[in-house]
Amino acid sequence: MNVLLSISQAFLELCEEKPLKKISVSDIVDKAGKNRKTFYYHFENKEHLIIWIFRYDLGQVLTQHFPESVLVYEKDNGDPVARFPYYITQKSGVRSFDHAEFFQCFAQVLEGRKRFYAQAFESCEPNSLKNYLYQLYTTMLKRDINFILANRFMPQRNIDFLAEFYTSAFLDYFVRKTSTMGPSRGFDNIEPFGNIIHDTLEFEIREAQLQRNL
């Protein structure tokens, strides 16, 4: 972990000196006092390092806010990001979730390194942070939808649509706010609507079930 933190800290310090996209792996290892072999032992490329930094930041915040019993981890596949939680399962009823605090934690992470994440989100490459988060949380929203359904039927194409639509909606909001927010807190206005994703999913699923039963 110390090596990973050393490499990530060197990268973050470099991002204070010049644009993220102009920083090379050579720049990072020189700053960290490591070699390229050490870098590539832990990370596939610079984009993988960016993802690790996000997962590290989010993991730190989530472990401070939630008990271990509600934290969600990936299966350990050797990727260094797998040691950090990235989501929660906080039920508020038989078929409902209260994930408002999760989205507040997500916002807190982005606010903590606004300039860094704003630059990271500029990339639309297949292995970019933005695309990684889309894949990661689409999978989680599909899981949540199936929980809300609780064995009630919904065509898989509808489940896929809902998960993809609401993942795109929340990520687009956070990406845009990170890129445009000023020096003050940029996400305060979401707090009254912190659980809007899951509240809306529950409503849409309930309406779909009513229509199906007519």
Side-chain angles (χ1 to χ4, degrees):
M1 177 69 85
N2 289 338
V3 172
L4 301 177
L5 287 172
S6 176
I7 291 172
S8 65
Q9 186 58 41
F11 183 34
L12 291 167
E13 289 176 5
L14 286 168
C15 288
E16 295 297 320
E17 301 170 7
K18 57 183 176 179
L20 183 155
K21 62 185 178 182
K22 293 187 176 181
I23 298 170
S24 66
V25 171
S26 295
D27 293 332
I28 297 168
V29 295
D30 287 347
K31 181 78 170 179
K34 309 296 180 184
N35 55 53
R36 292 175 67 88
K37 183 178 179 180
T38 299
F39 180 94
Y40 286 113
Y41 178 80
H42 296 287
F43 303 109
E44 296 175 11
N45 46 45
K46 187 172 73 174
E47 289 72 23
H48 190 197
L49 172 56
I50 293 170
I51 289 167
W52 187 89
I53 292 170
F54 177 84
R55 287 289 301 272
Y56 174 83
D57 286 346
L58 182 62
Q60 298 303 300
V61 173
L62 292 181
T63 54
Q64 292 169 8
H65 283 79
F66 298 101
E68 186 69 20
S69 59
V70 306
L71 297 177
V72 175
Y73 295 80
E74 289 178 281
K75 182 178 180 180
D76 189 355
N77 59 2
D79 191 323
V81 304
R83 71 184 67 183
F84 307 122
Y86 66 99
Y87 199 54
I88 64 168
T89 300
Q90 185 150 286
K91 300 175 185 177
S92 61
V94 177
R95 295 176 176 173
S96 59
F97 291 110
D98 182 0
H99 283 180
E101 193 175 354
F102 166 77
F103 290 106
Q104 292 169 11
C105 290
F106 198 95
Q108 181 180 333
V109 169
L110 298 181
E111 288 174 336
R113 302 191 199 274
K114 287 182 287 189
R115 186 170 178 271
F116 173 75
Y117 286 120
Q119 292 185 76
F121 285 139
E122 290 176 1
S123 173
C124 294
E125 295 296 319
N127 57 351
S128 67
L129 175 62
K130 186 160 51 177
N131 286 329
Y132 168 81
L133 293 176
Y134 175 80
Q135 296 297 327
L136 189 68
Y137 289 110
T138 297
T139 299
M140 285 293 94
L141 284 190
K142 287 180 183 179
R143 184 211 64 162
D144 291 355
I145 291 166
N146 280 306
F147 173 83
I148 295 167
L149 281 167
N151 296 318
R152 293 172 292 175
F153 175 75
M154 175 177 281
Q156 186 61 47
R157 66 180 182 277
N158 292 1
I159 294 173
D160 292 345
F161 170 80
L162 288 172
E164 291 165 9
F165 180 86
Y166 284 105
T167 303
S168 295
F170 103 74
L171 284 178
D172 184 66
Y173 174 80
F174 279 107
V175 168
R176 288 179 182 274
K177 289 291 285 186
T178 302
S179 300
T180 59
M181 72 173 76
S184 61
R185 288 177 58 86
F187 292 104
D188 281 347
N189 57 324
I190 74 170
E191 291 182 6
F193 309 100
N195 205 42
I196 191 170
I197 297 295
H198 290 82
D199 288 343
T200 307
L201 281 172
E202 289 175 35
F203 174 80
E204 295 292 345
I205 289 170
R206 184 167 58 249
E207 289 298 301
Q209 293 298 311
L210 287 173
Q211 290 296 321
R212 183 168 177 265
N213 292 329
L214 290 178

